[in-house]
Amino acid sequence: MELRVLNYFLAIAREENITRASQMLHISQPALSRQMMQLEEELGVRLFTRSNHSIVLTEEGLILKRRAQELISLADRTKREFLQKKTELAGEITVGSGEFLSTGALAGLMTEFRKKHPLVQFRIYSGNADNIQDYIGRGHLDLGVIGEPVDIRKYEFVSMPVKECWGILVQKDSGLAQKEEIRPEDLLGTPLITSSRDFHRELADWFGDLYDRMEIAATGNLLYNEAMLVESGMGAALCIRLNCTYGNLRFIPLAPAVESRTALIWKKDSIFSPATAAFIDAAREYLKERPVGKTETFL
């Protein structure tokens, strides 16, 4: 049983489609199918249940998946240990992130990692959760920071040590700006600018019976653009608190408080470069040592 064949098997298990797996592995579909048939013959079991559209692991396939992950991980770690003894870590790590306070923790992690490995470069992509998950799925990003909950079927993750606080961004001379906190009834009749057409579940619960009476004036995916709409007088932006200021605007938290969490995610069962794999190990250590809490920053 070769590690190369186990990697092929894990790719099929991950993609649940032999055509996509063959494209990702850059080998022909017939050759990949032949390798899997030989693996089944070698083990004397069926590993997959095949259909026209997808491939599902049998019970024996699930057992092999777990063992293969352990073997590949051990082999990869062993290789990295020997490589790191010979040469310094180098290469590019690609990371995506939305606009969060927790991005500050990510920046701290990246800075500490690069102090130890100065030949490593980072490429940062800014986007929303859908963009980031799509790019990770297609191999354009190694990791990403998105809002929880995380789909644990697809991703491994570590939670970020920052709670995101929700509120509204309003003009300083508006009536709402005089309040210290905002309740659902305060927003009746106020055009809202939101990060998506559908509110997060926590926000829908916060609005309660008033949810259907809210007026959505605009949606967007970058707070800076939404803040410009508030500046122009369109309405109030429903958003999380960020570590930045806008001269004519004020952030006011919601009451009862609405908080959310974010996580650093990466695709399950993926084989990473030595630099990315080392960064993931560093992230587990760096982030677990920091207690969860709020970053007290006011606009």
Side-chain angles (χ1 to χ4, degrees):
M1 190 185 308
E2 299 179 33
L3 290 177
R4 171 179 57 84
V5 177
L6 290 179
N7 270 318
Y8 291 171
F9 167 76
L10 288 175
I12 296 172
R14 180 171 61 250
E15 299 298 327
E16 298 181 349
N17 183 285
I18 198 163
T19 300
R20 288 199 301 269
S22 66
Q23 292 170 346
M24 185 192 71
L25 294 167
H26 303 294
I27 64 175
S28 69
Q29 182 176 331
L32 184 57
S33 296
R34 189 161 53 250
Q35 290 279 1
M36 291 303 101
M37 291 175 61
Q38 291 172 356
L39 180 60
E40 288 181 322
E41 290 175 5
E42 180 182 353
L43 296 175
V45 296
R46 288 188 62 189
L47 299 173
F48 306 100
T49 300
R50 298 168 174 83
S51 70
N52 292 332
H53 303 292
S54 65
I55 289 179
V56 179
L57 293 180
T58 63
E59 183 176 349
E60 291 80 6
L62 290 170
I63 293 172
L64 179 60
K65 178 183 177 183
R66 185 165 61 249
R67 295 288 186 267
Q69 288 171 338
E70 293 171 356
L71 289 169
I72 295 296
S73 177
L74 179 59
D76 198 44
R77 185 177 305 164
T78 302
K79 184 187 295 184
R80 290 201 309 269
E81 288 173 353
F82 282 106
L83 286 173
Q84 288 175 28
K85 288 179 180 179
K86 295 179 180 179
T87 62
E88 174 60 272
L89 280 178
E92 183 180 75
I93 301 173
T94 55
V95 185
S97 179
E99 295 181 314
F100 303 111
L101 278 180
S102 60
T103 306
L106 174 65
L109 163 64
M110 294 164 67
T111 299
E112 289 300 313
F113 186 81
R114 199 168 185 280
K115 286 179 181 177
K116 297 177 182 178
H117 308 288
L119 298 181
V120 170
Q121 295 179 324
F122 288 97
R123 179 162 58 88
I124 312 301
Y125 171 81
S126 298
N128 59 28
D130 290 338
N131 301 146
I132 290 169
Q133 290 175 95
D134 178 55
Y135 274 35
I136 289 176
R138 290 195 280 159
H140 299 318
L141 290 175
D142 296 318
L143 310 98
V145 176
I146 66 170
E148 292 188 357
V150 174
D151 185 348
I152 60 174
R153 298 170 301 174
K154 296 181 179 180
Y155 306 104
E156 293 188 55
F157 72 97
V158 57
S159 293
M160 302 297 285
V162 178
K163 291 181 181 179
E164 308 290 343
C165 172
W166 284 84
I168 64 167
L169 202 57
V170 295
Q171 290 183 337
K172 288 182 178 179
D173 58 1
S174 73
L176 291 174
Q178 311 311 310
K179 296 180 175 292
E180 294 304 315
E181 57 186 24
I182 296 294
R183 298 188 174 276
E185 57 270 21
D186 296 330
L187 297 178
L188 286 173
T190 297
L192 296 178
I193 302 153
T194 73
S195 59
S196 68
R197 191 167 299 277
D198 297 319
F199 292 126
H200 292 249
R201 182 180 66 248
E202 295 88 347
L203 291 175
D205 292 341
W206 181 80
F207 278 107
D209 294 339
L210 298 180
Y211 178 82
D212 293 330
R213 295 174 60 186
M214 292 299 119
E215 177 188 350
I216 307 301
T219 61
N221 66 345
L222 291 174
L223 183 55
Y224 180 81
N225 293 336
E226 296 164 25
M228 293 304 98
L229 293 178
V230 178
E231 286 263 21
S232 72
M234 180 178 286
L238 190 61
C239 59
I240 59 174
R241 189 201 315 271
L242 294 179
N243 190 14
C244 56
T245 59
Y246 302 97
N248 192 39
L249 305 181
R250 183 184 178 216
F251 179 90
I252 311 170
L254 303 181
V258 178
E259 296 177 333
S260 57
R261 295 286 303 279
T262 58
L264 179 66
I265 68 168
W266 57 93
K267 195 173 183 180
K268 274 189 171 181
D269 309 331
S270 291
I271 304 301
F272 293 108
S273 69
T276 301
F279 181 74
I280 290 173
D281 290 341
R284 293 183 188 276
E285 292 300 316
Y286 182 90
L287 295 175
K288 79 177 183 181
E289 294 173 355
R290 282 151 178 78
V292 176
K294 300 178 186 177
T295 300
E296 298 296 340
T297 308
F298 297 90
L299 299 180

